[in-house]
Amino acid sequence: MGATLGPGVASAQGIVSRVLTTESGSSRPDSHFGRLVLDPVTDRPSTNAVIAWTTANAWTTGGSSSLTAIANFDDRQELCAGYSYNSAIPDHVLELSSDFDNLSITVNTGGKDTTLLIEGPQGVYCGDDATALNADALVQRDRWAKGLYRVWVGSGEPNQHYSYQLQIQQGDLP
């Protein structure tokens, strides 16, 4: 069970794009949509280069299970809002094979009302698009410990279904 990375393509902006694919588990999966395994990229063209993985698959948000059943607030005392399929089973499991500096995870729907809740070794992280300035949910932290992260992608209101992909970035945007 795991993910494979496609070939990198460097761009003029210092961003290297990669494709991240998901393999589903056995008959009893640990998530709705499978596991993503991420290894840090150590051979960046420069220390300022950003590595951006986008999932090859697209999934759908929705459901009526409130994410506040998992946590009301995250490590920064930000509200954990939204609705997902099931608060007991995450949509994705993200496995980090080692520690990461400066990772961000974005839900890409093209600007729909989405939320994000991530539960991992260092606690709970939540992202919401509460302002019109940030249409898709985002979680960004400076330090991510090696380990398993349970990821729920929600919608702002119950039973709203939006097609999405996840984008994970290592490094600061130029």
Side-chain angles (χ1 to χ4, degrees):
M1 183 171 6
T4 58
L5 294 175
V9 178
S11 72
Q13 294 88 9
I15 298 175
V16 176
S17 297
R18 305 252 172 131
V19 175
L20 185 61
T21 58
T22 305
E23 293 180 8
S24 56
S26 61
S27 61
R28 194 159 189 217
D30 55 1
S31 65
H32 290 291
F33 302 126
R35 184 179 289 229
L36 305 166
V37 179
L38 201 60
D39 299 310
V41 174
T42 56
D43 61 344
R44 292 192 257 176
S46 74
T47 57
N48 294 331
V50 172
I51 308 301
W53 292 271
T54 301
T55 55
N57 299 341
W59 300 280
T60 305
T61 66
S64 59
S65 184
S66 176
L67 294 178
T68 58
I70 302 165
N72 288 316
F73 297 95
D74 71 0
D75 64 320
R76 295 181 177 173
Q77 296 306 305
E78 294 177 12
L79 181 65
C80 296
Y83 297 87
S84 188
Y85 291 109
N86 185 332
S87 59
I89 300 172
D91 295 315
H92 309 275
V93 171
L94 173 63
E95 181 180 342
L96 300 182
S97 63
S98 64
D99 294 345
F100 275 81
D101 288 329
N102 223 352
L103 267 188
S104 64
I105 300 175
T106 304
V107 177
N108 185 358
T109 64
K112 305 294 185 197
D113 185 16
T114 58
T115 63
L116 188 58
L117 188 146
I118 301 171
E119 180 183 61
Q122 296 169 280
V124 174
Y125 307 147
C126 293
D128 191 355
D129 63 343
T131 68
L133 299 175
N134 185 14
D136 285 319
L138 165 72
V139 167
Q140 183 175 19
R141 297 293 188 275
D142 290 334
R143 291 176 195 87
W144 293 71
K146 173 184 177 176
L148 295 179
Y149 292 81
R150 295 164 35 107
V151 179
W152 285 265
V153 177
S155 55
E157 297 293 327
N159 298 312
Q160 289 180 334
H161 303 286
Y162 304 126
S163 178
Y164 73 90
Q165 289 179 287
L166 291 177
Q167 183 178 45
I168 303 171
Q169 289 183 190
Q170 176 187 356
D172 290 325
L173 283 175

